[in-house]
């Protein structure tokens, strides 16, 4: 019983934080912030590659600030619309959204639930987290851009038409909520409840309808994942085998173990299973847990949300295509991120 309570105590702040960030994202979407960003990209000069790179940059920023799940839910429609109105192949934009969301989730604690779960014992602020992870995060983003451009070079070679598209945007509650949530994540060691408060307050002030919230915050999925995470966390506390194994693997082995565990059982439950106590190489493990899901759709909640949103918009995401790109992307981004982290902070892996 103690193991269950211990696992629940490790997991709940992450789920509360992501719920708060999703609510902030709902309000930002209602205010037209994401649609306005997409319209700006549609008007931007340059060819398909330029539009694609700017799109990935938008995904990276939204992921870092508002969480990768928020990013895939709200930006998958934006990037698909961008490709369609510019008359180019939507495939790179479709897969770029989910791959970049995972890659950019190393910037801040709130960027990915696994960040909070894996480093739950450190109680570090977002600024402290960023000071240690910025190099690995930037390198992961850059490698992802390069690999995606190479993987979809034929689709991105097609000419794109510039579109004079405008989207109404209201600079009100949404942008204020995003700013406040960002400050809280950067400055507080335990931002979960304050960010949830901001999200709830923003929803109430902006009078967001229940249907809009239910379309994004799927309580059943979050609850199911929470139960699985707590169960595996309790197993990890009862049977210390997986966590003990990490202590003998070294930094590279720890990152690889995190990636494999993420693909096998999803990165959130894997994070709880592998960290009943502080691991020997927490940031190496974090790199594996965050970047490993780009190998298969089983690796993260973001991939499930991406599949659901993409299919609802008439796109045809392929699990096979996802993994065929991921099998190249993951080793390169994981190795580069580990190398960057070692160069900048060799004693902090």
């Amino acid at each position: 019983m103690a193991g269950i309570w211990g696992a629940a105590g490790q997991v709940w702040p992450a789920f509360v934080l992501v719920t708060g960030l999703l609510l902030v994202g709902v309000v930002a979407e209602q205010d037209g912030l994401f649609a306005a960003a997409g319209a700006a990209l549609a008007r931007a000069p340059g060819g398909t590659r330029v539009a694609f790179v700017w799109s990935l940059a938008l995904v990276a920023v939204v992921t870092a600030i508002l969480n990768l799940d928020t990013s895939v839910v709200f930006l998958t429609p934006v990037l698909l619309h961008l490709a369609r109105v510019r008359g180019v192949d939507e495939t790179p934009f479709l897969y770029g959204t989910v791959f970049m969301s995972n890659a950019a989730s190393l910037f801040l604690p709130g960027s990915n639930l696994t960040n909070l779960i894996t480093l739950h014992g450190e109680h570090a602020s977002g600024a402290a987290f960023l000071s240690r992870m910025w190099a690995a995060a930037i390198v992961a983003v850059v490698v992802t851009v390069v690999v995606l451009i190479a993987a979809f070079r034929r689709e991105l070679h097609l000419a794109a038409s510039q579109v004079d598209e405008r989207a109404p945007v209201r600079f009100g509650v949404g942008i204020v909520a995003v700013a406040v949530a960002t400050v809280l994540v950067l400055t507080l060691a335990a931002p979960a409840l304050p960010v949830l408060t901001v999200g709830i307050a923003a929803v109430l002030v902006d009078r967001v309808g229940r249907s809009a919230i239910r379309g994004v915050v799927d309580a059943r999925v979050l609850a199911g994942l929470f139960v699985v995470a707590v169960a595996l966390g309790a197993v990890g506390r009862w049977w210390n085998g997986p966590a003990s194994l990490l202590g003998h693997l070294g930094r590279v082995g720890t990152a690889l173990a995190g990636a494999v565990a993420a693909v096998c059982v999803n990165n959130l439950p894997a994070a709880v299973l592998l960290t009943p106590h502080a691991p020997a190489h927490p940031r190496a493990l974090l790199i594996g847990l965050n970047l490993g899901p780009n190998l298969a759709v089983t690796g993260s909640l973001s991939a499930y949300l991406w599949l659901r949103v993409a299919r609802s918009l008439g796109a045809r995401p392929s699990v096979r295509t996802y993994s065929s790109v991921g099998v190249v992307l993951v080793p390169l981004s994981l190795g580069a991120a580990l190398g960057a982290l070692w160069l900048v902070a060799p004693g902090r892996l």
Side-chain angles (χ1 to χ4, degrees):
M1 196 66 178
I4 294 177
W5 285 114
Q10 180 183 357
V11 170
W12 76 260
F15 278 81
V16 168
L17 179 61
V18 76
T19 301
L21 290 173
L22 283 170
L23 291 175
V24 171
V26 170
V27 178
E29 195 275 338
Q30 293 286 307
D31 282 0
L33 296 182
F34 301 129
L41 291 176
R43 297 193 305 271
T48 307
R49 284 193 183 92
V50 174
F52 182 60
V53 172
W54 278 115
S55 299
L56 294 181
L58 173 63
V59 173
V61 170
V62 173
T63 296
I65 297 174
L66 289 179
N67 186 272
L68 79 167
D69 302 318
T70 305
S71 178
V72 296
V73 169
F74 292 113
L75 293 186
T76 299
V78 169
L79 266 62
L80 284 175
H81 177 71
L82 169 65
R84 291 167 180 175
V85 298
R86 295 194 69 154
V88 299
D89 195 318
E90 67 186 38
T91 305
F93 296 86
L94 174 63
Y95 290 94
T97 307
V98 66
F99 285 134
M100 182 54 73
S101 292
N102 283 322
S105 67
L106 289 167
F107 279 103
L108 292 173
S111 303
N112 196 325
L113 275 71
T114 58
N115 299 343
L116 293 170
I117 293 173
T118 303
L119 303 180
H120 69 283
E122 292 194 2
H123 303 294
S125 67
F129 182 96
L130 178 62
S131 70
R132 299 178 182 182
M133 294 299 294
W134 66 268
I138 290 176
V139 167
V141 166
V142 171
V143 169
T144 299
V145 172
V146 172
V147 171
L148 290 177
I149 290 176
F152 298 110
R153 58 190 178 279
R154 292 180 181 177
E155 293 85 349
L156 294 172
H157 183 69
L158 299 175
S161 58
Q162 189 176 345
V163 180
D164 186 18
E165 183 173 84
R166 307 285 171 175
V169 59
R170 177 162 56 94
F171 293 99
V173 177
I175 195 168
V176 172
V178 170
V180 173
T182 302
V183 171
L184 291 174
V185 170
L186 283 171
T187 58
L188 299 181
L193 289 175
V195 170
L196 178 62
T197 301
V198 170
I200 293 173
V203 166
L204 293 175
V205 171
D206 214 41
R207 298 180 180 179
V208 178
R210 291 184 180 180
S211 59
I213 297 173
R214 289 172 181 169
V216 176
V217 185
D218 194 328
R220 293 172 299 179
V221 172
L222 289 176
L225 200 54
F226 178 83
V227 170
V228 172
V230 171
L232 282 180
V235 170
R237 283 161 170 76
W238 171 69
W239 175 46
N240 202 37
S244 297
L245 177 63
L246 290 183
H248 303 287
L249 292 180
R251 294 166 179 170
V252 175
T254 296
L256 292 175
V260 171
V263 171
C264 290
V265 298
N266 189 278
N267 60 356
L268 302 180
V272 191
L273 175 66
L274 296 173
T275 59
H277 50 74
H281 307 292
R283 284 162 186 81
L285 176 60
L286 202 57
I287 287 173
L289 290 170
N290 286 22
L291 301 182
N294 275 339
L295 186 60
V297 295
T298 55
S300 66
L301 172 63
S302 61
Y304 164 78
L305 296 172
W306 169 76
L307 283 170
R308 190 183 70 174
V309 172
R311 287 169 179 167
S312 72
L313 295 168
R316 296 182 178 179
S318 165
V319 173
R320 181 177 179 178
T321 301
Y322 186 107
S323 291
S324 66
V325 176
V327 75
V328 176
L329 174 59
V330 170
L332 293 177
S333 60
L334 192 149
L338 281 174
L341 185 60
W342 182 81
L343 287 173
V344 173
R348 293 176 174 179
L349 271 74

